[in-house]
Amino acid sequence: MRAILCAGALALAAPAQANEPAGAIVSIGGAVTEIVFALGAGDRLVARDTTSVYPEAALALPDVGYMRALSPEGVLSVGPDLILADQNAGPPETVEVLKDAEVAMVQIPDVFTGEGVQAKIRTIGAAIGVEDKAEALATDVAARLEAAQAQAEARAGGAKKRVLFVLSAAGGRIMASGSGTAAAAMIELAGAENAVTGFEGYKPLTDEAVISAAPDAILMMDRGGDHDSPVDQLVALPWIAATPAGQARAVVRMDGLYLLGFGPRIPEAVADLNAALYGG
């Protein structure tokens, strides 16, 4: 028998195993893995996905691949008793195979709010049998986030900065965040406002749209490769140079998982983003 949990609905495995905590866990999703470690269960992990890069101990685990491009063979090859998977894990056909396997699978909801982080923690805690620890961690995160938001709002005052999140500037073309994304939620939590709200998700912007957005600051993930854009190159783009952010060279770069993971470090990420935007 298998067990699948999605958005709080648990179908229990065989009764004799119902109360036995899983001893071999595969964690799919950076925040999921981070929460498992924060709950003191990192020693029960037998593998993780490519996005699971924190804490450092996670890097010693076998890597089963990128969370959106998993193969069922790779995930099952490590012999898990339980698969904890971010709800965005995929592709869908792999998820269906994993659901049909003789392994318990828990899909973790990913909602870009403080309450969403608490729900992740509690869902994972229930799945691995550490509900008390999960409740304590969720309560602590909630209190720290409330304090971070209060400080962020006080520092921002009545003049919130307009922030453009740039997912990619490859080839000089700006791929930016609209509404409904982790980036948009983090900008708001940090006491600022998203400079682009006319669409949902991430889309390429025309040069005119970048200028019209008139961001006071540009926010990017700090990463290498083709999607990276050093500050000098970015602010040299004419459509960036024409914005207040470009003129002030106001570019904030933060680790992607830390910034967008919506895990237990979210209070610190909110505080750091606010400080980078407003000073302090």
Side-chain angles (χ1 to χ4, degrees):
M1 297 287 290
R2 59 189 173 89
I4 300 172
L5 173 67
C6 183
L10 177 63
L12 291 175
Q17 300 174 351
N19 295 319
E20 296 178 9
I25 304 169
V26 172
S27 181
I28 307 297
V32 175
T33 301
E34 187 174 336
I35 290 168
V36 172
F37 274 96
L39 293 175
D43 60 341
R44 292 161 60 185
L45 291 174
V46 294
R48 49 94 187 183
D49 77 306
T50 302
T51 71
S52 298
V53 295
Y54 183 90
E56 187 175 353
L59 299 177
L61 294 166
D63 184 347
V64 297
Y66 177 54
M67 64 173 284
R68 296 180 187 271
L70 299 168
S71 73
E73 295 83 6
V75 175
L76 296 174
S77 68
V78 296
D81 301 318
L82 171 66
I83 301 167
L84 297 176
D86 183 288
Q87 69 175 31
N88 299 305
E93 51 269 27
T94 291
V95 173
E96 288 305 311
V97 172
L98 294 176
K99 286 181 178 180
D100 289 335
E102 294 298 313
V103 177
M105 181 173 180
V106 179
Q107 293 181 282
I108 311 301
D110 192 21
V111 180
F112 305 135
T113 62
E115 292 78 9
V117 177
Q118 295 171 59
K120 279 186 194 178
I121 294 170
R122 292 186 175 108
T123 300
I124 293 171
I128 64 177
V130 292
E131 291 91 337
D132 290 347
K133 288 184 178 180
E135 187 59 37
L137 179 60
T139 300
D140 176 65
V141 169
R144 289 187 291 114
L145 179 58
E146 183 178 0
Q149 284 186 266
Q151 183 180 47
E153 291 293 338
R155 184 177 284 147
K160 293 188 175 183
K161 290 192 175 183
R162 294 171 57 80
V163 180
L164 178 67
F165 179 81
V166 175
L167 180 65
S168 169
R173 310 312 302 168
I174 302 299
M175 176 76 73
S177 168
S179 60
T181 68
M186 279 298 295
I187 289 169
E188 182 175 346
L189 287 171
E193 63 181 35
N194 191 11
V196 179
T197 58
F199 59 85
E200 291 192 358
Y202 298 96
K203 292 185 179 180
L205 298 184
T206 64
D207 303 346
E208 294 78 10
V210 174
I211 296 172
S212 178
D216 298 303
I218 292 170
L219 177 61
M220 302 180 72
M221 288 187 287
D222 190 5
R223 61 184 183 181
D226 294 339
H227 295 288
D228 197 31
S229 182
V231 174
D232 288 342
Q233 295 180 24
L234 184 67
V235 299
L237 296 172
W239 38 96
I240 295 293
T243 68
Q247 293 163 15
R249 295 177 59 85
V251 180
V252 177
R253 295 155 66 91
M254 295 176 65
D255 174 78
L257 178 58
Y258 182 57
L259 176 66
L260 305 178
F262 277 75
R265 293 180 293 163
I266 188 174
E268 291 76 21
V270 166
D272 286 350
L273 177 54
N274 175 262
L277 292 173
Y278 294 96

